[in-house]
Amino acid sequence: LFSRLEKLEIFPQIYGIRWLRLLFGREFVFRDTLLLWDAIFADSCPPSLCDQLVVSLLMSIRDLLLSYEYQDAVQLLMKLPSNLSVTHCTQLALHLKDPIRFPKPTGSAFAQGAVGMGKEKKKVVKTKNKFRKISAPKIFYKNQANVLKAPFELVKPLLFLI
């Protein structure tokens, strides 16, 4: 994997800085990021598990990286697959750090058709439209039957006689 990335001139500075600067915060959904941060800070202070996490992420997507050309490989490193299991990567990082205390995780690093882990699995849903229409909550309307026409009419000024 090292020689393949070196041949493609994809250096660790390209993807590693992005991963480490925000402690993998942009690589996973928020819930999975919190689980990852728990593992990082519970392991030691200052966090030393980060190096092993970088290696475990690379090991998890190794087969894909070996088959991709430059542009696809960089894109994969910049946006990891959404079904990549945080639990598997964390267990692999702990195993790399201390193989006697932590067994090597079994199974695939990718969850089949789900994002997340354990009992909290969510189905991956593809949406057609990224944006959804929203409206003001009903508490802003004058009354339920008579809906105001424009947002600036939500609060009408009071007229005072002098």
Short mmCIF file of all heavy atoms in Angstrom, two decimals, residues 57-107:
data_model
loop_
_atom_site.label_atom_id
_atom_site.label_comp_id
_atom_site.label_asym_id
_atom_site.label_seq_id
_atom_site.Cartn_x
_atom_site.Cartn_y
_atom_site.Cartn_z
N LEU A 57 -7.35 2.99 9.41
CA LEU A 57 -8.21 3.46 8.33
C LEU A 57 -7.62 3.08 6.97
O LEU A 57 -8.34 2.65 6.07
CB LEU A 57 -8.42 4.97 8.42
CG LEU A 57 -9.32 5.46 9.55
CD1 LEU A 57 -9.27 6.98 9.64
CD2 LEU A 57 -10.73 4.98 9.35
N LEU A 58 -6.32 3.27 6.83
CA LEU A 58 -5.65 2.90 5.58
C LEU A 58 -5.75 1.39 5.33
O LEU A 58 -5.99 0.96 4.20
CB LEU A 58 -4.19 3.34 5.59
CG LEU A 58 -3.96 4.85 5.49
CD1 LEU A 58 -2.49 5.17 5.72
CD2 LEU A 58 -4.42 5.38 4.14
N MET A 59 -5.59 0.60 6.39
CA MET A 59 -5.70 -0.85 6.24
C MET A 59 -7.13 -1.26 5.87
O MET A 59 -7.32 -2.21 5.10
CB MET A 59 -5.27 -1.54 7.53
CG MET A 59 -3.79 -1.47 7.81
SD MET A 59 -3.32 -2.12 9.42
CE MET A 59 -3.71 -3.85 9.24
N SER A 60 -8.10 -0.54 6.38
CA SER A 60 -9.50 -0.87 6.12
C SER A 60 -9.90 -0.62 4.67
O SER A 60 -10.73 -1.33 4.12
CB SER A 60 -10.41 -0.08 7.05
OG SER A 60 -10.18 -0.42 8.39
N ILE A 61 -9.31 0.40 4.07
CA ILE A 61 -9.65 0.72 2.68
C ILE A 61 -8.53 0.33 1.71
O ILE A 61 -8.50 0.78 0.57
CB ILE A 61 -10.02 2.22 2.53
CG1 ILE A 61 -8.87 3.13 2.98
CG2 ILE A 61 -11.29 2.54 3.28
CD1 ILE A 61 -9.11 4.60 2.71
N ARG A 62 -7.64 -0.51 2.17
CA ARG A 62 -6.47 -0.92 1.41
C ARG A 62 -6.81 -1.47 0.03
O ARG A 62 -6.24 -1.04 -0.98
CB ARG A 62 -5.69 -1.97 2.20
CG ARG A 62 -4.48 -2.53 1.50
CD ARG A 62 -3.83 -3.64 2.34
NE ARG A 62 -2.60 -4.08 1.74
CZ ARG A 62 -2.52 -4.99 0.77
NH1 ARG A 62 -3.60 -5.56 0.31
NH2 ARG A 62 -1.34 -5.33 0.28
N ASP A 63 -7.72 -2.42 -0.04
CA ASP A 63 -8.06 -3.06 -1.32
C ASP A 63 -8.59 -2.04 -2.32
O ASP A 63 -8.28 -2.11 -3.52
CB ASP A 63 -9.07 -4.18 -1.11
CG ASP A 63 -8.47 -5.33 -0.30
OD1 ASP A 63 -7.23 -5.48 -0.31
OD2 ASP A 63 -9.24 -6.07 0.33
N LEU A 64 -9.39 -1.11 -1.84
CA LEU A 64 -9.92 -0.08 -2.73
C LEU A 64 -8.80 0.83 -3.23
O LEU A 64 -8.73 1.16 -4.42
CB LEU A 64 -10.99 0.75 -2.02
CG LEU A 64 -12.27 0.02 -1.64
CD1 LEU A 64 -13.14 0.89 -0.74
CD2 LEU A 64 -13.04 -0.39 -2.88
N LEU A 65 -7.92 1.22 -2.31
CA LEU A 65 -6.82 2.11 -2.70
C LEU A 65 -5.88 1.46 -3.71
O LEU A 65 -5.37 2.14 -4.61
CB LEU A 65 -6.02 2.55 -1.46
CG LEU A 65 -6.69 3.56 -0.55
CD1 LEU A 65 -5.89 3.74 0.73
CD2 LEU A 65 -6.87 4.89 -1.26
N LEU A 66 -5.65 0.18 -3.56
CA LEU A 66 -4.76 -0.52 -4.50
C LEU A 66 -5.35 -0.60 -5.91
O LEU A 66 -4.61 -0.67 -6.89
CB LEU A 66 -4.43 -1.92 -3.99
CG LEU A 66 -3.54 -1.97 -2.75
CD1 LEU A 66 -3.40 -3.40 -2.26
CD2 LEU A 66 -2.19 -1.35 -3.03
N SER A 67 -6.66 -0.58 -6.01
CA SER A 67 -7.28 -0.72 -7.33
C SER A 67 -7.60 0.62 -7.99
O SER A 67 -7.91 0.66 -9.17
CB SER A 67 -8.57 -1.54 -7.21
OG SER A 67 -9.52 -0.86 -6.43
N TYR A 68 -7.51 1.72 -7.25
CA TYR A 68 -7.88 3.03 -7.79
C TYR A 68 -6.68 3.75 -8.37
O TYR A 68 -5.55 3.55 -7.95
CB TYR A 68 -8.48 3.91 -6.70
CG TYR A 68 -9.89 3.55 -6.28
CD1 TYR A 68 -10.46 4.15 -5.18
CD2 TYR A 68 -10.65 2.62 -6.97
CE1 TYR A 68 -11.75 3.84 -4.78
CE2 TYR A 68 -11.92 2.31 -6.57
CZ TYR A 68 -12.48 2.91 -5.48
OH TYR A 68 -13.75 2.61 -5.09
N GLU A 69 -6.97 4.64 -9.32
CA GLU A 69 -5.96 5.55 -9.85
C GLU A 69 -5.94 6.81 -8.98
O GLU A 69 -6.72 6.93 -8.03
CB GLU A 69 -6.26 5.89 -11.31
CG GLU A 69 -6.09 4.72 -12.26
CD GLU A 69 -4.69 4.12 -12.22
OE1 GLU A 69 -3.70 4.90 -12.15
OE2 GLU A 69 -4.58 2.89 -12.25
N TYR A 70 -5.09 7.76 -9.34
CA TYR A 70 -4.83 8.93 -8.49
C TYR A 70 -6.09 9.66 -8.04
O TYR A 70 -6.34 9.82 -6.85
CB TYR A 70 -3.89 9.91 -9.21
CG TYR A 70 -3.63 11.16 -8.40
CD1 TYR A 70 -2.68 11.16 -7.39
CD2 TYR A 70 -4.38 12.32 -8.61
CE1 TYR A 70 -2.46 12.30 -6.63
CE2 TYR A 70 -4.16 13.46 -7.86
CZ TYR A 70 -3.20 13.44 -6.86
OH TYR A 70 -2.99 14.56 -6.10
N GLN A 71 -6.91 10.08 -8.98
CA GLN A 71 -8.06 10.92 -8.63
C GLN A 71 -9.06 10.18 -7.74
O GLN A 71 -9.54 10.73 -6.75
CB GLN A 71 -8.77 11.42 -9.89
CG GLN A 71 -9.89 12.38 -9.58
CD GLN A 71 -10.43 13.05 -10.83
OE1 GLN A 71 -9.83 12.96 -11.89
NE2 GLN A 71 -11.54 13.73 -10.69
N ASP A 72 -9.34 8.93 -8.06
CA ASP A 72 -10.28 8.15 -7.25
C ASP A 72 -9.70 7.84 -5.87
O ASP A 72 -10.43 7.85 -4.87
CB ASP A 72 -10.66 6.86 -7.97
CG ASP A 72 -11.45 7.13 -9.24
OD1 ASP A 72 -12.19 8.14 -9.28
OD2 ASP A 72 -11.33 6.33 -10.18
N ALA A 73 -8.41 7.57 -5.82
CA ALA A 73 -7.77 7.28 -4.54
C ALA A 73 -7.78 8.50 -3.62
O ALA A 73 -8.08 8.39 -2.43
CB ALA A 73 -6.34 6.80 -4.77
N VAL A 74 -7.47 9.66 -4.16
CA VAL A 74 -7.50 10.89 -3.36
C VAL A 74 -8.92 11.18 -2.90
O VAL A 74 -9.16 11.53 -1.74
CB VAL A 74 -6.92 12.09 -4.14
CG1 VAL A 74 -7.18 13.40 -3.43
CG2 VAL A 74 -5.43 11.90 -4.37
N GLN A 75 -9.87 10.99 -3.78
CA GLN A 75 -11.27 11.22 -3.42
C GLN A 75 -11.70 10.27 -2.31
O GLN A 75 -12.41 10.66 -1.38
CB GLN A 75 -12.17 11.05 -4.64
CG GLN A 75 -13.60 11.44 -4.39
CD GLN A 75 -14.43 11.40 -5.66
OE1 GLN A 75 -13.94 11.08 -6.73
NE2 GLN A 75 -15.70 11.72 -5.52
N LEU A 76 -11.28 9.02 -2.37
CA LEU A 76 -11.60 8.05 -1.32
C LEU A 76 -10.98 8.46 0.00
O LEU A 76 -11.62 8.37 1.05
CB LEU A 76 -11.11 6.66 -1.74
CG LEU A 76 -11.31 5.55 -0.71
CD1 LEU A 76 -12.80 5.29 -0.47
CD2 LEU A 76 -10.62 4.28 -1.17
N LEU A 77 -9.74 8.93 -0.04
CA LEU A 77 -9.07 9.35 1.20
C LEU A 77 -9.68 10.61 1.79
O LEU A 77 -9.66 10.82 3.00
CB LEU A 77 -7.58 9.56 0.94
CG LEU A 77 -6.78 8.29 0.67
CD1 LEU A 77 -5.42 8.62 0.10
CD2 LEU A 77 -6.66 7.46 1.95
N MET A 78 -10.22 11.47 0.94
CA MET A 78 -10.85 12.71 1.41
C MET A 78 -12.27 12.49 1.88
O MET A 78 -12.79 13.25 2.70
CB MET A 78 -10.84 13.77 0.31
CG MET A 78 -9.48 14.26 -0.03
SD MET A 78 -8.77 15.05 1.41
CE MET A 78 -7.07 15.02 0.99
N LYS A 79 -12.92 11.46 1.38
CA LYS A 79 -14.28 11.14 1.80
C LYS A 79 -14.38 9.63 1.93
O LYS A 79 -14.60 8.93 0.96
CB LYS A 79 -15.30 11.66 0.80
CG LYS A 79 -16.71 11.34 1.20
CD LYS A 79 -17.67 12.39 0.72
CE LYS A 79 -19.11 12.07 1.05
NZ LYS A 79 -19.38 11.80 2.42
N LEU A 80 -14.21 9.17 3.15
CA LEU A 80 -14.24 7.74 3.41
C LEU A 80 -15.65 7.19 3.17
O LEU A 80 -16.63 7.92 3.29
CB LEU A 80 -13.81 7.46 4.85
CG LEU A 80 -12.36 7.81 5.18
CD1 LEU A 80 -12.10 7.69 6.67
CD2 LEU A 80 -11.41 6.93 4.41
N PRO A 81 -15.76 5.90 2.86
CA PRO A 81 -17.08 5.31 2.64
C PRO A 81 -17.97 5.45 3.88
O PRO A 81 -17.50 5.32 5.01
CB PRO A 81 -16.78 3.84 2.37
CG PRO A 81 -15.36 3.80 1.94
CD PRO A 81 -14.68 4.94 2.64
N SER A 82 -19.24 5.73 3.65
CA SER A 82 -20.16 5.96 4.77
C SER A 82 -20.45 4.68 5.56
O SER A 82 -20.89 4.76 6.69
CB SER A 82 -21.47 6.57 4.27
OG SER A 82 -22.10 5.68 3.38
N ASN A 83 -20.19 3.53 4.97
CA ASN A 83 -20.44 2.29 5.69
C ASN A 83 -19.19 1.70 6.36
O ASN A 83 -19.18 0.55 6.77
CB ASN A 83 -21.09 1.26 4.77
CG ASN A 83 -20.21 0.86 3.60
OD1 ASN A 83 -19.22 1.53 3.30
ND2 ASN A 83 -20.56 -0.21 2.94
N LEU A 84 -18.15 2.51 6.48
CA LEU A 84 -16.94 2.09 7.17
C LEU A 84 -17.22 2.04 8.66
O LEU A 84 -17.70 3.02 9.25
CB LEU A 84 -15.79 3.05 6.87
CG LEU A 84 -14.42 2.69 7.41
CD1 LEU A 84 -13.94 1.37 6.81
CD2 LEU A 84 -13.43 3.79 7.09
N SER A 85 -16.97 0.92 9.29
CA SER A 85 -17.30 0.72 10.70
C SER A 85 -16.26 1.37 11.61
O SER A 85 -15.09 1.00 11.59
CB SER A 85 -17.38 -0.78 11.00
OG SER A 85 -17.50 -0.99 12.39
N VAL A 86 -16.73 2.32 12.41
CA VAL A 86 -15.85 2.99 13.37
C VAL A 86 -15.37 2.00 14.43
O VAL A 86 -14.22 2.04 14.86
CB VAL A 86 -16.58 4.19 14.02
CG1 VAL A 86 -15.79 4.76 15.16
CG2 VAL A 86 -16.87 5.25 12.99
N THR A 87 -16.24 1.11 14.84
CA THR A 87 -15.89 0.11 15.85
C THR A 87 -14.74 -0.77 15.35
O THR A 87 -13.78 -1.01 16.08
CB THR A 87 -17.10 -0.77 16.18
OG1 THR A 87 -18.17 0.08 16.59
CG2 THR A 87 -16.79 -1.74 17.29
N HIS A 88 -14.85 -1.24 14.12
CA HIS A 88 -13.80 -2.09 13.56
C HIS A 88 -12.48 -1.34 13.48
O HIS A 88 -11.43 -1.87 13.86
CB HIS A 88 -14.22 -2.59 12.17
CG HIS A 88 -13.28 -3.59 11.58
ND1 HIS A 88 -12.15 -3.22 10.89
CD2 HIS A 88 -13.28 -4.93 11.61
CE1 HIS A 88 -11.51 -4.29 10.50
NE2 HIS A 88 -12.17 -5.35 10.92
N CYS A 89 -12.52 -0.10 12.99
CA CYS A 89 -11.29 0.69 12.87
C CYS A 89 -10.66 0.98 14.23
O CYS A 89 -9.44 0.93 14.38
CB CYS A 89 -11.58 2.00 12.14
SG CYS A 89 -12.04 1.76 10.41
N THR A 90 -11.49 1.26 15.22
CA THR A 90 -10.99 1.52 16.57
C THR A 90 -10.38 0.26 17.18
O THR A 90 -9.30 0.31 17.78
CB THR A 90 -12.11 2.06 17.47
OG1 THR A 90 -12.69 3.21 16.86
CG2 THR A 90 -11.59 2.43 18.84
N GLN A 91 -11.06 -0.87 17.01
CA GLN A 91 -10.52 -2.13 17.53
C GLN A 91 -9.21 -2.49 16.85
O GLN A 91 -8.28 -2.98 17.51
CB GLN A 91 -11.54 -3.26 17.36
CG GLN A 91 -12.74 -3.13 18.26
CD GLN A 91 -13.81 -4.17 17.95
OE1 GLN A 91 -13.77 -4.85 16.92
NE2 GLN A 91 -14.79 -4.27 18.84
N LEU A 92 -9.12 -2.24 15.56
CA LEU A 92 -7.88 -2.51 14.84
C LEU A 92 -6.76 -1.58 15.31
O LEU A 92 -5.62 -2.01 15.49
CB LEU A 92 -8.09 -2.36 13.33
CG LEU A 92 -6.90 -2.69 12.44
CD1 LEU A 92 -6.38 -4.10 12.69
CD2 LEU A 92 -7.27 -2.50 10.97
N ALA A 93 -7.08 -0.32 15.56
CA ALA A 93 -6.08 0.62 16.06
C ALA A 93 -5.58 0.20 17.44
O ALA A 93 -4.38 0.26 17.73
CB ALA A 93 -6.66 2.03 16.12
N LEU A 94 -6.49 -0.21 18.31
CA LEU A 94 -6.09 -0.69 19.64
C LEU A 94 -5.24 -1.95 19.52
O LEU A 94 -4.26 -2.11 20.27
CB LEU A 94 -7.32 -0.95 20.51
CG LEU A 94 -8.08 0.30 20.96
CD1 LEU A 94 -9.42 -0.08 21.57
CD2 LEU A 94 -7.25 1.10 21.95
N HIS A 95 -5.57 -2.83 18.59
CA HIS A 95 -4.76 -4.03 18.37
C HIS A 95 -3.37 -3.67 17.86
O HIS A 95 -2.38 -4.26 18.29
CB HIS A 95 -5.46 -4.96 17.36
CG HIS A 95 -4.63 -6.12 16.95
ND1 HIS A 95 -4.39 -7.19 17.79
CD2 HIS A 95 -3.95 -6.38 15.80
CE1 HIS A 95 -3.60 -8.06 17.18
NE2 HIS A 95 -3.33 -7.59 15.95
N LEU A 96 -3.29 -2.70 16.97
CA LEU A 96 -1.98 -2.28 16.46
C LEU A 96 -1.13 -1.67 17.57
O LEU A 96 0.09 -1.85 17.59
CB LEU A 96 -2.16 -1.26 15.33
CG LEU A 96 -2.77 -1.79 14.03
CD1 LEU A 96 -3.07 -0.64 13.09
CD2 LEU A 96 -1.87 -2.81 13.38
N LYS A 97 -1.78 -0.98 18.50
CA LYS A 97 -1.05 -0.34 19.59
C LYS A 97 -0.59 -1.36 20.63
O LYS A 97 0.54 -1.29 21.12
CB LYS A 97 -1.93 0.72 20.25
CG LYS A 97 -1.20 1.49 21.32
CD LYS A 97 -2.02 2.62 21.84
CE LYS A 97 -1.19 3.35 22.89
NZ LYS A 97 -1.88 4.47 23.43
N ASP A 98 -1.46 -2.31 20.96
CA ASP A 98 -1.14 -3.30 21.98
C ASP A 98 -1.78 -4.64 21.60
O ASP A 98 -2.87 -4.96 22.04
CB ASP A 98 -1.64 -2.84 23.35
CG ASP A 98 -1.13 -3.70 24.48
OD1 ASP A 98 -0.47 -4.72 24.23
OD2 ASP A 98 -1.40 -3.34 25.65
N PRO A 99 -1.09 -5.43 20.77
CA PRO A 99 -1.68 -6.69 20.28
C PRO A 99 -1.90 -7.74 21.36
O PRO A 99 -2.71 -8.65 21.17
CB PRO A 99 -0.68 -7.18 19.23
CG PRO A 99 0.53 -6.36 19.37
CD PRO A 99 0.21 -5.16 20.18
N ILE A 100 -1.23 -7.63 22.48
CA ILE A 100 -1.42 -8.61 23.56
C ILE A 100 -2.73 -8.34 24.30
O ILE A 100 -3.48 -9.26 24.60
CB ILE A 100 -0.21 -8.60 24.51
CG1 ILE A 100 1.04 -9.07 23.77
CG2 ILE A 100 -0.47 -9.47 25.74
CD1 ILE A 100 2.32 -8.93 24.54
N ARG A 101 -3.01 -7.09 24.58
CA ARG A 101 -4.24 -6.73 25.32
C ARG A 101 -5.49 -6.74 24.46
O ARG A 101 -6.58 -7.05 24.93
CB ARG A 101 -4.10 -5.34 25.94
CG ARG A 101 -3.31 -5.32 27.22
CD ARG A 101 -3.28 -3.97 27.89
NE ARG A 101 -4.59 -3.34 27.99
CZ ARG A 101 -4.78 -2.03 28.03
NH1 ARG A 101 -3.76 -1.21 27.96
NH2 ARG A 101 -5.98 -1.53 28.13
N PHE A 102 -5.36 -6.37 23.18
CA PHE A 102 -6.53 -6.22 22.32
C PHE A 102 -6.45 -7.19 21.14
O PHE A 102 -5.51 -7.12 20.35
CB PHE A 102 -6.63 -4.78 21.80
CG PHE A 102 -6.75 -3.76 22.89
CD1 PHE A 102 -5.64 -3.03 23.29
CD2 PHE A 102 -7.96 -3.54 23.52
CE1 PHE A 102 -5.75 -2.08 24.29
CE2 PHE A 102 -8.07 -2.60 24.54
CZ PHE A 102 -6.97 -1.87 24.92
N PRO A 103 -7.44 -8.06 21.01
CA PRO A 103 -7.42 -9.00 19.89
C PRO A 103 -7.71 -8.29 18.56
O PRO A 103 -8.34 -7.24 18.53
CB PRO A 103 -8.55 -9.98 20.23
CG PRO A 103 -9.48 -9.20 21.09
CD PRO A 103 -8.61 -8.23 21.86
N LYS A 104 -7.25 -8.91 17.50
CA LYS A 104 -7.50 -8.36 16.17
C LYS A 104 -8.99 -8.54 15.84
O LYS A 104 -9.55 -9.61 16.04
CB LYS A 104 -6.64 -9.08 15.13
CG LYS A 104 -6.73 -8.48 13.75
CD LYS A 104 -5.75 -9.13 12.81
CE LYS A 104 -5.84 -8.44 11.45
NZ LYS A 104 -4.85 -8.99 10.53
N PRO A 105 -9.64 -7.47 15.35
CA PRO A 105 -11.06 -7.60 15.04
C PRO A 105 -11.29 -8.55 13.88
O PRO A 105 -10.46 -8.67 12.98
CB PRO A 105 -11.48 -6.17 14.69
CG PRO A 105 -10.24 -5.49 14.28
CD PRO A 105 -9.12 -6.14 15.05
N THR A 106 -12.42 -9.22 13.92
CA THR A 106 -12.77 -10.15 12.85
C THR A 106 -13.85 -9.54 11.98
O THR A 106 -14.52 -8.59 12.37
CB THR A 106 -13.27 -11.48 13.43
OG1 THR A 106 -14.42 -11.21 14.25
CG2 THR A 106 -12.19 -12.16 14.26
N GLY A 107 -14.02 -10.09 10.82
CA GLY A 107 -15.06 -9.61 9.92
C GLY A 107 -14.60 -8.45 9.07
O GLY A 107 -13.43 -8.05 9.08
#
